[in-house]
């Protein structure tokens, strides 16, 4: 495939780590367990699945990614800042995909710390290299960061351009993406209640290139899907707590394709997963207010469930690079489990990602 890259020799060390000592140090609860130990009820159970020989590129369209985090060292490809000039404190689009600086303002609008590190955390769930116990679902994947929002508001045209650029399609006045994504992750929600014709046309064009589009269902407390998750062909992702129950904040819609761990408030009990938050690569201020990298259980939301699915698809494709989205939908019963329905959605048949059986071929 044009956007599947053969696994280079230097990645052999990741495979050794994946299959050996590092798992003895820590396995994030959402990935499952090894050696027959009890896993969290909603774990996706890919902990024993090594990446295949085909390296998969995943675009993370988000707030930008802080490239210096140790858990993302070696995991990033060149990305782009797709925030247009009037919404960009840097005045124009560029190859600088870092988020806006901490505590910057755009008029009266103050950039929150959690908003700023969102893209970094999302990227780490897909392809974290294990430093600090932050393992992505597929640490052999490569991330293309695409910045869509910052301290200022974003625009619909920026979203359309970001998706097009991530897919390798031409965007006016922007150099072509040298590493088109096989998977596009959109950990964002809140557009129209029905997919707009402009966005649907673009997504349909992207899907024709055999590119997967994964989108968060949204944290709207059991309301229906909004854009981009409600667009035809998008793999919409709802959130589960560690006990395999649909999170109360998650959107609830019969069109939701799959649910994955998204965390929530701490659970009762003494299980490792009672923390009920995803471990992510993030940043915190030190005593002087300067950024310092951190690795902690803080991921909660459908924004974090979506990259679990994007990472899983990249792991699946690393073994089966010719697979299509139609294959994924046809085979989803093989790597999903039943989730207890919610009375508020009688027509919903929720499925939770459970990936162990699917990685046996190459």
């Amino acid at each position: 495939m044009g956007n599947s890259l053969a696994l280079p020799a230097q990645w052999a060390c990741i495979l050794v780590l994946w299959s050996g000592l590092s798992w003895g140090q820590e396995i994030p609860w959402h990935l499952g367990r090894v050696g027959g130990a009890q896993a969290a009820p909603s774990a996706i159970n890919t902990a024993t699945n090594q990446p295949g020989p085909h390296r998969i590129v995943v675009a993370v369209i988000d707030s930008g990614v802080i490239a210096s985090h140790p858990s993302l060292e070696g995991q990033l490809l060149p990305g782009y800042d797709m925030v247009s000039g009037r919404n960009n404190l840097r005045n124009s689009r560029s190859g600088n995909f870092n988020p806006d600086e901490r505590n910057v303002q755009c008029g009266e609008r103050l950039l929150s710390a959690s908003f700023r590190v969102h893209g970094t955390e999302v990227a780490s769930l897909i392809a974290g290299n294990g430093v600090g116990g932050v393992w992505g679902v597929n640490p052999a994947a490569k991330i293309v960061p695409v910045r869509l929002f910052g301290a200022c508001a974003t625009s619909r045209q920026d979203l359309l351009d970001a998706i097009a650029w991530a897919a390798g399609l031409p965007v006016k006045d922007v150099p072509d993406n040298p590493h088109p994504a096989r998977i596009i992750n959109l950990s964002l929600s809140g557009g129209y209640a029905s997919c707009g014709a402009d966005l649907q046309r673009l997504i349909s064009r992207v899907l024709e290139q055999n590119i997967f589009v994964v989108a968060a269902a949204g944290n709207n407390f059991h309301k229906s899907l909004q854009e981009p998750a409600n667009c035809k062909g998008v793999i919409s992702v709802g959130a589960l707590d560690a006990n395999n129950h649909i999170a109360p904040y998650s959107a609830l819609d019969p069109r939701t394709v799959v649910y994955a761990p998204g965390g929530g408030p701490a659970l009762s009990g003494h299980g490792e997963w009672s923390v009920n938050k995803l471990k992510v690569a993030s940043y915190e201020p030190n005593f002087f207010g300067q950024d310092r990298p951190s690795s902690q259980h803080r991921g909660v939301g459908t924004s974090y469930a979506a990259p679990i699915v994007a990472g899983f698809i990249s792991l699946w494709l690393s073994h089966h690079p010719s697979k299509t989205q139609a294959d994924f939908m046809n085979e989803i019963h093989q790597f999903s489990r039943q989730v207890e329905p919610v009375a508020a959605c009688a027509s919903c048949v929720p499925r939770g990602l459970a990936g162990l059986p699917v990685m046996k071929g190459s």
Side-chain angles (χ1 to χ4, degrees):
M1 301 299 296
N3 45 11
S4 294
L5 305 179
L7 192 66
Q10 62 263 35
W11 283 85
C13 60
I14 282 187
L15 299 187
V16 171
L17 287 171
W18 183 265
S19 60
L21 294 177
S22 59
W23 274 152
Q25 298 169 13
E26 181 176 5
I27 305 172
W29 64 263
H30 62 273
L31 296 184
R33 306 300 296 168
V34 297
Q38 184 179 5
S42 68
I44 67 170
N45 295 329
T46 58
T48 58
N49 296 129
Q50 296 181 14
H54 302 276
R55 195 178 66 194
I56 305 300
V57 176
V58 184
V60 172
I61 298 178
D62 214 286
S63 65
V65 174
I66 304 174
S68 59
H69 198 290
S71 300
L72 290 174
E73 183 178 356
Q75 308 302 79
L76 304 182
L77 293 169
Y80 216 78
D81 178 1
M82 294 300 293
V83 181
S84 56
R86 63 190 179 88
N87 292 322
N88 196 329
L89 294 178
R90 301 165 189 160
N91 299 318
S92 66
R93 292 173 169 174
S94 72
N96 179 9
F97 55 77
N98 280 295
D100 283 331
E101 295 301 318
R102 181 180 294 277
N103 296 327
V104 299
Q105 285 189 251
C106 182
E108 299 299 315
R109 184 185 173 104
L110 177 68
L111 179 68
S112 74
S114 61
F115 192 75
R116 177 175 183 263
V117 298
H118 192 266
T120 303
E121 296 174 349
V122 166
S124 72
L125 289 168
I126 297 169
N129 61 20
V131 173
V134 178
W135 282 106
V137 181
N138 180 10
K142 282 289 193 180
I143 300 294
V144 171
V146 185
R147 194 174 87 110
L148 176 62
F149 45 82
C152 303
T154 190
S155 74
R156 188 172 186 85
Q157 188 60 52
D158 289 349
L159 171 63
L160 296 172
D161 288 349
I163 293 172
W165 187 86
L169 301 175
V171 176
K172 185 179 179 182
D173 298 327
V174 174
D176 290 346
N177 176 8
H179 302 284
R182 186 71 198 281
I183 303 161
I184 296 174
N185 185 87
L186 295 161
S187 285
L188 50 97
S189 179
Y192 298 146
S194 298
C195 184
D198 54 351
L199 182 57
Q200 186 62 69
R201 279 194 302 270
L202 175 59
I203 287 176
S204 297
R205 187 179 176 193
V206 169
L207 295 175
E208 289 172 358
Q209 305 297 313
N210 198 18
I211 297 169
F212 292 69
V213 181
V214 178
N219 304 334
N220 62 15
F221 296 90
H222 289 186
K223 293 183 174 62
S224 298
L225 298 177
Q226 295 177 302
E227 288 181 326
N230 61 13
C231 295
K232 185 178 180 181
V234 169
I235 297 174
S236 50
V237 183
L240 301 171
D241 68 15
N243 282 335
N244 203 41
H245 298 134
I246 295 175
Y249 57 77
S250 180
L252 190 63
D253 191 301
R255 296 170 293 176
T256 304
V257 172
V258 69
Y259 289 78
L267 302 171
S268 59
H270 302 288
E272 177 192 356
W273 58 85
S274 63
V275 63
N276 199 31
K277 294 177 177 62
L278 305 184
K279 191 165 191 180
V280 295
S282 193
Y283 278 83
E284 301 294 333
N286 63 16
F287 179 78
F288 301 101
Q290 301 165 323
D291 269 340
R292 63 176 180 87
S294 66
S295 304
Q296 57 183 296
H297 290 93
R298 60 176 287 168
V300 175
T302 61
S303 284
Y304 298 94
I308 298 300
V309 174
F312 172 82
I313 294 173
S314 79
L315 186 60
W316 178 62
L317 290 173
S318 75
H319 290 272
H320 309 288
S322 63
K323 292 284 191 179
T324 67
Q325 183 152 320
D327 292 323
F328 180 81
M329 297 304 296
N330 289 336
E331 298 175 22
I332 194 169
H333 66 280
Q334 298 178 23
F335 38 84
S336 60
R337 64 166 69 88
Q338 184 177 358
V339 174
E340 184 177 345
V342 176
C345 184
S347 58
C348 291
V349 184
R351 296 174 292 197
L353 193 66
L356 186 60
V358 305
M359 307 300 178
K360 295 180 179 179
S362 62

